[in-house]
Amino acid sequence: MDETQMNRLISSVYQELLPGFRIESVDPHNPVEVHHVPQPWQLLGTGNYAAVVYHPDYPDQVVKIYAPGRPGFLEEVEVYHRLGSHRAFSECLYASDAFLVLKRLHGVTLYDCMHLGLRIPKQVIQDIDQALDYARGRGLYPHDVHGRNVMMHKGRGLVVDVSDFLDEETCSKWNNLKKAYYWLYRPFFSPFGLRVPYFVLDIVRRSYRLLCRLASRYLQIRRPRLRRH
Ligand SMILES: Nc1ncnc2c1ncn2[C@@H]1O[C@H](COP(=O)(O)OP(=O)(O)O)[C@@H](O)[C@H]1O
Ligand SMILES: [Mg+2]
C-alpha cells in the first residue's frame, strides 16, 4: 500500500467510519458489542477490548477500534513497535485516537475452526510456539493467547492479538490450549471432523474462566496456612 492509498484509508476512517460507528463494552470479560457499522465497512471480529473492521477497497488492511473506556491502545502500539516484521504476526501501519490500522491476517481463528470442523494440523501449533518464542526474544511476554487470538491460514499458524504482550504476569492459556489440542482434539475431534456448536464453545470458555478463578481463590486461601508451617 503506498502513501496516497494509506492517506485515503485514514480519511475514510475519520469521515465515514468513526462518526457512525457504535461500539460498547458491556462486560470486560465478554466480547464488545457493535451496534452499528457504517457502509461500506465490514465487521471482521470482536474481542473483549475492541472491534476489527475492514473496507472492501482495502482488503489487506484492517482497522481495530477500542471500545470507549477499554485500556490497552498505547500498549498495543508499543508491542507492534517491538515485534517488527514476522510472518506469524500482523504489523501496525498507523495508530491514533484509539484506533490502529493493521496488516490483515487472512485466516480462521482456531475457535472458528472448531465450530466449522476444520482440521488443525500440528504445524499450526508449532508455528504459534515459534512466533511466541520470537516475541519473547523481542522483550515481550506472550499473554492471553487463546482460541480467538490465534488463526490458521493454509495450514500455518498466526497470532492475531498481541495487545497484552507487555503484561509480565504468567499466563497459562496457550499451554492449556496446547494440552487440550494434544489430549482431546487430536484423538477425539480431528479424526471425525467434529463440529462444535458456538454455545458449547462458549460454555467451555466460561467454565475455563470459572475454574481459573476458583483455582486462584483456592491458592490465596492456602498460602497463609502454608506460611504458618
Ligand atoms: N490483523 C487482523 N487481521 C484479520 N483479522 C483480525 C486482525 N486482528 C483482529 N482480527 C479479528 O478480530 C478479532 C478481535 O481482534 P482482537 O485483536 O483479538 O481484539 P481484542 O484485543 O479486543 O481481543 C480477532 O479474534 C480476529 O477475528
Ligand atoms: Mg482478542
Side-chain angles (χ1 to χ4, degrees):
M1 169 178 255
D2 63 30
E3 212 181 305
T4 324
Q5 283 173 313
M6 188 63 188
N7 288 337
R8 279 204 200 117
L9 173 61
I10 293 162
S11 7
S12 176
V13 170
Y14 280 109
Q15 282 158 25
E16 294 170 9
L17 179 62
L18 294 182
F21 193 69
R22 295 281 169 270
I23 179 174
E24 189 187 2
S25 169
V26 180
D27 167 4
H29 300 296
N30 284 317
V32 296
E33 284 178 20
V34 176
H35 302 298
H36 181 67
V37 184
Q39 283 295 331
W41 290 86
Q42 302 291 315
L43 184 66
L44 253 188
T46 53
N48 292 359
Y49 297 81
V52 172
V53 297
Y54 76 97
H55 189 295
D57 291 347
Y58 309 95
D60 293 323
Q61 287 77 33
V62 297
V63 179
K64 176 169 177 175
I65 306 170
Y66 273 74
R70 299 302 289 137
F73 165 73
L74 289 175
E75 287 82 353
E76 181 160 358
V77 176
E78 170 63 18
V79 171
Y80 276 115
H81 179 70
R82 289 196 201 175
L83 273 179
S85 183
H86 184 279
R87 60 161 294 283
F89 294 106
S90 173
E91 279 165 43
C92 179
L93 310 170
Y94 180 87
S96 177
D97 296 319
F99 77 85
L100 299 96
V101 179
L102 302 173
K103 182 179 89 180
R104 180 165 172 187
L105 296 177
H106 294 273
V108 185
T109 65
L110 296 197
Y111 188 83
D112 287 334
C113 287
M114 294 299 294
H115 174 71
L116 298 166
L118 298 178
R119 206 178 68 79
I120 305 166
K122 234 194 284 181
Q123 181 70 50
V124 170
I125 305 296
Q126 289 163 351
D127 285 343
I128 295 167
D129 260 336
Q130 276 171 15
L132 299 181
D133 275 344
Y134 166 85
R136 284 186 198 97
R138 293 255 160 174
L140 293 164
Y141 309 89
H143 200 98
D144 206 32
V145 182
H146 56 74
R148 296 168 83 113
N149 285 342
V150 286
M151 278 184 170
M152 172 171 93
H153 180 58
K154 295 187 177 162
R156 303 303 301 259
L158 305 168
V159 182
V160 81
D161 185 3
V162 295
S163 50
D164 288 319
F165 279 26
L166 291 182
D167 189 339
E168 295 183 27
E169 200 183 314
T170 330
C171 175
S172 38
K173 286 184 190 175
W174 174 243
N175 279 337
N176 291 337
L177 193 147
K178 270 196 299 187
K179 278 183 201 146
Y181 175 83
Y182 287 109
W183 289 95
L184 296 172
Y185 176 79
R186 281 187 73 86
F188 301 112
F189 288 82
S190 180
F192 310 106
L194 281 186
R195 292 169 185 221
V196 188
Y198 275 130
F199 84 89
V200 176
L201 289 172
D202 211 45
I203 291 172
V204 173
R205 186 174 70 85
R206 285 167 197 269
S207 318
Y208 177 77
R209 214 175 64 217
L210 183 72
L211 272 175
C212 290
R213 278 221 302 271
L214 288 176
S216 77
R217 219 174 279 172
Y218 174 75
L219 288 174
Q220 271 166 15
I221 296 167
R222 287 288 301 254
R223 247 180 239 134
R225 258 194 236 148
L226 287 175
R227 264 190 228 126
R228 279 209 293 271
H229 292 292

